[in-house]
Amino acid sequence: MTDDLKIVSTEADEKETKLSESTFVKTIKGFFVEVAELTIFTLRFFKEALKPPYEFKELIKQAYLIGYKSFPLVAITGLIMGLVLTIQSRPTLAEFGAESWLPAMVAVSIVREIGPVITGLIFAGKVGSGIGAELASMKVTEQIDAMEVSGINPFKYLVVTRIAAATFMLPVLVIASDAISLYGSYIGVNLKGDVSFHLFFLEVFDKLGFADVFPALIKTVFFGLAIGIIGCYKGYNADKGTEGVGKAANAAVVYASLMVFIIDMIAVQVTSLMNQ
């Protein structure tokens, strides 16, 4: 009886091990399949973007919806970001008698790193989920199929315009966010001091250089491209049914936010190598 129980438990353990191994293999296989599909989707975007006809009207419309409609959220975030960073940094600098360095330190921090990354994450949350949910809804309700039947290229009309708009508008939003953050920093400096507007921004622009601004703007182009591609990919290839819409929107936000951090890490490494 005891031997039979041992045999049964051994067989159960073997089945559980095989099941876990098969699940792991499926997960790895699914990951590489999705990476391959995303790569093909990206290559198709570049191919379709270069071929006429060009959907300029839809591109302008998407730039308005993606850029202008996101500005209030980005502006509020930027103002709070500059204000909080200044208030938090002041006591530490005051201990070392380096309070005069506050405008320059905050400016370099915001322009180089904090502004682009925080704005990119806000953009991924708002625009990435919006694109994913919108295209997934069109997929579920078979509007994309209807466009193909009527002779319209849905990929060029829906995907290319949204990715291009995200790529162009995110750097503009980052510039606006940086400017508003610096104004928030100016407010923060004057909460416990009296610094003129002219003197504050004289200190800021004295320390900011081309090497600070240009790499930060370049990486925001890649942020926008990645967010647009991931949002469109998840929406365009969503599963049928209403559940697929929620999954597409959620996956778009998660993967787009992760790509912002990955691209930022690569950009920091490349910039540091170039400055050596």
Side-chain angles (χ1 to χ4, degrees):
M1 187 70 178
T2 307
D3 293 338
D4 291 340
L5 288 173
K6 286 181 179 178
I7 291 169
V8 170
S9 64
T10 304
E11 289 177 352
D13 291 339
E14 288 177 355
K15 285 181 180 179
E16 188 177 347
T17 304
K18 288 180 180 178
L19 184 63
S20 62
E21 286 178 356
S22 64
T23 304
F24 177 74
V25 170
K26 284 180 181 178
T27 303
I28 295 296
K29 190 182 291 184
F31 170 76
F32 283 109
V33 167
E34 189 158 23
V35 169
E37 289 177 349
L38 184 59
T39 304
I40 293 169
F41 188 87
T42 305
L43 293 175
R44 186 182 176 189
F45 159 71
F46 286 110
K47 180 183 174 183
E48 295 284 353
L50 296 173
K51 285 196 314 183
Y54 305 110
E55 302 288 349
F56 287 117
K57 287 185 179 180
E58 182 65 16
L59 176 61
I60 292 170
K61 177 187 173 184
Q62 291 303 320
Y64 170 79
L65 294 173
I66 288 172
Y68 180 77
K69 292 288 186 180
S70 301
F71 177 73
L73 182 60
V74 169
I76 293 169
T77 305
L79 183 68
I80 295 171
M81 183 168 58
L83 186 62
V84 170
L85 184 61
T86 303
I87 294 171
Q88 292 288 341
S89 302
R90 180 194 285 271
T92 304
L93 291 176
E95 286 182 10
F96 296 97
E99 231 175 324
S100 60
W101 284 84
L102 188 58
M105 189 210 73
V106 171
V108 171
S109 301
I110 287 172
V111 172
R112 275 190 180 181
E113 192 65 27
I114 300 174
V117 171
I118 297 297
T119 307
L121 292 175
I122 295 293
F123 196 80
K126 185 180 184 301
V127 175
S129 63
I131 291 174
E134 185 181 10
L135 293 186
S137 300
M138 296 180 77
K139 180 84 171 179
V140 168
T141 55
E142 298 182 347
Q143 294 180 52
I144 294 176
D145 297 333
M147 291 176 72
E148 289 177 346
V149 170
S150 61
I152 300 172
N153 184 349
F155 193 93
K156 180 177 279 291
Y157 187 80
L158 299 174
V159 174
V160 172
T161 53
R162 282 164 173 79
I163 296 175
T167 305
F168 295 145
M169 294 311 298
L170 182 55
V172 176
L173 288 173
V174 168
I175 292 171
S177 175
D178 288 349
I180 294 169
S181 294
L182 292 176
Y183 184 73
S185 177
Y186 166 73
I187 295 172
V189 166
N190 280 280
L191 289 177
K192 290 186 178 180
D194 186 17
V195 180
S196 68
F197 187 85
H198 176 74
L199 179 61
F200 177 86
F201 281 96
L202 193 67
E203 286 289 325
V204 166
F205 291 115
D206 185 53
K207 299 301 179 185
L208 279 178
F210 182 79
D212 299 315
V213 178
F214 185 70
L217 281 180
I218 290 297
K219 69 182 177 183
T220 58
V221 174
F222 289 98
F223 288 171
L225 181 66
I227 292 166
I229 287 173
I230 291 171
C232 288
Y233 170 75
K234 289 296 180 182
Y236 202 77
N237 297 288
D239 298 328
K240 295 289 184 180
T242 54
E243 188 180 352
V245 178
K247 285 183 177 179
N250 182 61
V253 174
V254 172
Y255 291 124
S257 301
L258 182 62
M259 280 305 299
V260 167
F261 285 115
I262 292 171
I263 293 170
D264 182 59
M265 180 185 67
I266 295 170
V268 168
Q269 294 298 323
V270 171
T271 306
S272 63
L273 285 173
M274 290 176 66
N275 290 333
Q276 284 181 357

